[in-house]
Amino acid sequence: MSRLSALREPEDFGPGAVEPRRPAGAGPRLGLALGGGSARGWAHIGVIRALEEAGLAPAVVAGCSIGAVVGGCYAADKLDVLESFALGLTKRRVMGLLDLRLTGSGLIGGDRLRRRLVQDLAGRRIEDLPVRFAAVATELGTGHEVWLRRGPLVEAVRASYALPGIFPPVALDGRLLMDGTLVNPVPVALARAMGADLVVCVNLNCDPSVRGGLIQPGPSDPVERAVAGAVEVRRRWSLLGAVRGRRHRAREPAPSAPGIARVMFDAFNITQDRISRARLERDPPDVSVGPDLAGMGLFEFHRAAEGIALGRAAARAALPRIRAALEGASARI
């Protein structure tokens, strides 16, 4: 099977339909590729705000994981609602959105988050949005990269952020889908496939100062502690876990060692960073925006104001490069 067939992307238009021609003088289509990165994804809001303030509204948005959440809300003209929600988050409110459970394929059921999405995006279909949008997901079992370009917006977004082990996979069109960061954390190729003449990518895991160095574990985040607690409860309720607990209790790690949640999150972040770099070498954007988010934890969703500000600052710094790239794209059209 070829890579393109594995993507299983649906058509943008119905049978016999013809994509409208671009109006004369419309200029190049600006595309955004919004990467994954959990709470750091609030920076996407700041990037979009900076582009809008500069008169550079994106016409195409491809999102992965938290990038799909922000991109989907922007495409549905609900970015104001999402920004207000994000800025109102506290540690307690973040915890209130987590429905931890002891059984199933994810530690978080995701029903509370789904209800919150439905509250603002119910009934919206991707193909009917005013801005062209698509989300990236990964098919469970095959590992295929799936481009979600049609269908219910809420389900596409949920599939794109279904982090393995944390959220259960999402059943959509007869397939089980999970987080798109496993295959394409920054979907530049998808933005181009949707007709973008110039692609600006927002990579949330691009800080060179954290690569190749040893980082000591800091204080755990409340979300990490909650997930670690759920993992521990599952282990204790497991017969095998109980046997192992009695057999190896004397060899438990010292209190200063990182917990299972920290290890799991950091391992996923490292993997995502490596995949991002490999994909961006193969599918380079025209302009890359990299907010300085190294000091922001992956599950510190309560720090939205800081993340948005960092995203806006990074996008403003990149505006000269974006304008130059747009001029070059205009000359090619």
Side-chain angles (χ1 to χ4, degrees), residues 34-35 38 40 69 99 146 246 254 258 262 264 275 280:
L34 302 180
S38 298
R40 295 172 179 173
V69 176
D99 42 353
V146 180
R246 289 194 300 270
R262 171 59 60 88
M264 184 167 60
I275 297 173
L280 290 175

Side-chain angles (χ1 to χ4, degrees), residues 30-331:
L30 175 62
L32 269 186
L34 302 180
S38 298
R40 295 172 179 173
W42 295 141
H44 291 318
I45 298 176
V47 170
I48 294 173
R49 293 303 192 203
L51 292 176
E52 288 180 325
E53 291 161 4
L56 302 174
V60 173
V61 179
C64 180
S65 199
I66 186 67
V69 176
V70 176
C73 287
Y74 169 74
D77 198 22
K78 293 288 185 179
L79 192 62
D80 288 344
V81 176
L82 179 64
E83 184 174 11
S84 178
F85 165 75
L87 292 173
L89 287 176
T90 62
K91 291 182 179 181
R92 174 172 290 187
R93 287 178 179 173
V94 172
M95 291 299 300
L97 290 170
L98 306 181
D99 42 353
L100 298 173
R101 59 189 191 180
L102 302 180
T103 60
S105 54
L107 291 171
I108 299 174
D111 292 334
R112 295 175 187 171
L113 288 172
R114 183 181 186 278
R115 287 197 296 269
R116 188 63 184 81
L117 287 171
V118 167
Q119 181 177 327
D120 299 312
L121 303 176
R124 305 300 296 271
R125 294 184 63 83
I126 295 174
E127 61 268 30
D128 298 329
L129 298 177
V131 174
R132 191 172 296 188
F133 170 75
V136 176
T138 306
E139 185 175 19
L140 183 65
T142 66
H144 289 159
E145 178 180 344
V146 180
W147 292 356
L148 301 172
R149 302 171 66 175
R150 300 182 67 87
L153 177 59
V154 169
E155 299 309 303
V157 168
R158 289 183 60 232
S160 191
Y161 72 63
L163 185 65
I166 303 298
F167 293 103
V170 174
L172 194 60
D173 295 333
R175 290 171 287 175
L176 287 176
L177 302 178
M178 53 187 179
D179 201 306
T181 54
L182 295 170
V183 290
N184 194 356
V186 190
V188 173
L190 174 53
R192 293 199 195 283
M194 289 193 295
D197 300 304
L198 176 144
V199 178
V200 174
C201 86
V202 185
N203 185 1
L204 304 177
N205 299 277
C206 63
D207 180 21
S209 66
V210 300
R211 290 178 185 160
L214 178 63
I215 301 176
Q216 297 298 330
S220 63
D221 182 82
V223 177
E224 292 182 14
R225 291 198 299 269
V227 172
V231 171
E232 178 65 14
V233 170
R234 281 195 180 189
R235 185 188 68 80
R236 290 178 179 177
W237 277 91
S238 165
L239 177 60
L240 178 60
V243 171
R244 286 178 175 173
R246 289 194 300 270
R247 186 176 299 169
H248 301 294
R249 189 164 297 158
R251 289 184 287 174
E252 288 183 355
S256 60
I260 186 172
R262 171 59 60 88
V263 171
M264 184 167 60
F265 296 150
D266 281 2
F268 189 80
N269 189 36
I270 292 168
T271 302
Q272 178 177 316
D273 172 67
R274 299 307 189 268
I275 297 173
S276 295
R277 284 194 274 171
R279 288 302 301 257
L280 290 175
E281 285 183 7
R282 188 172 69 186
D283 303 314
D286 295 281
V287 178
S288 180
V289 177
D292 184 8
L293 299 164
M296 188 170 180
L298 291 174
F299 282 80
E300 292 182 321
F301 288 96
H302 59 283
R303 297 174 62 185
E306 182 180 350
I308 293 171
L310 290 170
R312 180 182 265 111
R316 284 177 174 171
L319 282 176
R321 290 182 288 129
I322 296 173
R323 293 191 188 280
L326 281 169
E327 290 178 5
S330 297

